[in-house]
């Protein structure tokens, strides 16, 4: 049975050695004690969301703070090829479902995209609340998946902003039903010609009505390529996670040596 996971702030696990005592405080401690009802002697993992994972045993449990004795501390390296899901804003919380599932599958970052055809609009105070909600959804999904890394939720962009991100990426792929080349072919050809070192791949998913032709042209002019994910048209909540699975396999992110 896997150990339950609790989050602490980035860097707070630095310097922990076997036998050291770490005190988990705040909402995570209250959740561990009052909801999970953990008691002394039980095994837990404490992660800082930035790759560090401490495995240990509960020494004392109180809502004000849970003491955990460190058994081991490991740092999980980020994959060399990092996947970023560019998710167009969609109605009915389908965009949130997409980023939650993609997080469980290993996405490294997400970018909210205000596309021309997006029905949902992030403006003013609503934009700040919506962005915070995405961050909360991603953190919860990372915890569910027992990840040591919490994916970054980058600032929301419109199409000009996304064009700039496309230019900066090593590869930007628009998932599009009218594309000719399969996503597998696009990724395999790119991966076979790339060298070592950190690289970033954008997987771009449109809203419910699809990405408009004018937007596709604008993004391709900046270096993006279109790719066909499959024979069927997927919902905006499904396309991104499906692409993450395929890309993770092709790019070797799920190989035993990459874990």
């Amino acid at each position: 049975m896997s150990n339950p996971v609790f989050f602490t702030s980035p860097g707070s696990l630095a310097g922990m050695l076997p036998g050291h005592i770490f005190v988990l405080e705040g909402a995570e401690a209250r959740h561990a004690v009052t909801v999970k009802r953990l008691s002394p002697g039980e095994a837990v993992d404490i992660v800082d969301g930035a790759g560090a994972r401490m495995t240990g045993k509960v020494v004392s449990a109180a809502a004000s703070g849970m003491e955990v004795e460190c058994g081991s501390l490991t740092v999980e390296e980020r994959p060399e090829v990092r996947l970023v899901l560019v998710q167009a804003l969609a109605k009915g919380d389908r965009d949130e479902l997409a980023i939650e599932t993609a997080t469980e599958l290993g996405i490294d970052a997400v970018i909210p995209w205000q596309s021309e055809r997006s029905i949902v609009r992030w403006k003013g105070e609503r934009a700040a609340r919506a962005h915070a909600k995405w961050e909360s959804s991603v953190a919860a999904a990372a915890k569910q998946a027992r990840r040591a890394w919490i994916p970054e939720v980058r600032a929301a962009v419109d199409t000009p902003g996304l064009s700039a991100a496309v230019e900066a990426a090593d590869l930007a792929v628009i998932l599009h039903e009218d594309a000719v080349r399969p996503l597998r072919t696009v990724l395999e050809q790119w991966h076979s010609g790339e060298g070592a070192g950190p690289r970033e791949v954008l997987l771009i998913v449109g809203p419910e009505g699809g990405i408009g032709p004018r937007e596709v042209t604008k993004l391709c002019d900046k270096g993006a390529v279109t790719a066909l994910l499959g024979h069927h048209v997927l919902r905006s909540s499904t396309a991104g996670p499906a692409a993450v699975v395929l890309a993770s396999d092709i790019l070797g992110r799920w190989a035993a040596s990459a874990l």
Side-chain angles (χ1 to χ4, degrees):
M1 180 176 172
S2 300
N3 295 342
V5 169
F6 300 95
F7 285 131
T8 185
S9 57
S12 60
L13 295 174
M16 294 298 298
L17 297 172
H20 286 186
I21 300 297
F22 179 82
V23 181
L24 182 69
E25 299 177 312
E28 287 291 88
R30 289 191 293 274
H31 181 75
V33 175
T34 62
V35 178
K36 291 291 187 179
R37 298 186 179 279
L38 295 181
S39 57
E42 294 191 74
V44 297
D45 282 4
I46 309 294
V47 300
D48 72 350
R53 180 188 302 273
M54 187 190 85
T55 297
K57 289 188 177 182
V58 177
V59 176
S60 66
S64 58
M66 184 175 71
E67 293 185 332
V68 179
E69 181 181 354
C70 175
S72 64
L73 178 67
T74 58
V75 177
E76 300 178 11
E77 298 296 330
R78 300 183 71 176
E80 282 197 346
V81 180
R82 298 169 189 173
L83 297 179
V84 179
L85 174 61
V86 179
Q87 178 65 49
L89 304 184
K91 64 181 181 180
D93 293 334
R94 286 179 180 165
D95 47 14
E96 287 184 45
L97 177 58
I99 64 171
E100 287 175 358
T101 307
T103 296
E104 293 178 15
L105 293 169
I107 201 75
D108 296 295
V110 297
I111 300 177
W113 174 33
Q114 185 77 69
S115 74
E116 292 177 359
R117 291 184 175 180
S118 290
I119 297 173
V120 174
R121 295 285 163 178
W122 284 11
K123 294 182 179 179
E125 293 184 359
R126 179 181 181 179
R129 290 196 301 269
H131 189 273
K133 189 176 181 182
W134 275 39
E135 289 182 319
S136 178
S137 296
V138 163
K143 189 173 184 178
Q144 168 67 32
R146 304 186 70 254
R147 293 186 59 177
W149 285 95
I150 299 178
E152 173 191 8
V153 180
R154 297 179 183 173
V157 296
D158 54 12
T159 299
L162 178 55
S163 296
V166 166
E167 283 190 294
D170 297 285
L171 175 67
V173 184
I174 303 170
L175 304 179
H176 200 279
E177 61 189 79
D178 292 332
V180 176
R181 290 193 299 166
L183 178 59
R184 173 176 292 278
T185 300
V186 170
L187 292 173
E188 287 178 342
Q189 290 179 347
W190 174 80
H191 192 45
S192 65
E194 287 297 303
R199 288 151 290 162
E200 187 165 280
V201 174
L202 303 187
L203 300 172
I204 304 172
V205 177
E208 303 94 318
I211 304 174
R214 185 170 57 180
E215 282 184 307
V216 172
T217 299
K218 288 179 180 178
L219 295 174
C220 287
D221 285 344
K222 296 299 182 179
V225 297
T226 59
L228 186 65
L229 184 55
H231 297 295
H232 306 290
V233 177
L234 302 180
R235 287 186 172 182
S236 57
S237 58
T238 311
V244 171
V245 171
L246 184 60
S248 295
D249 183 34
I250 293 171
L251 301 178
R253 289 163 51 96
W254 284 357
S257 59
L259 296 179

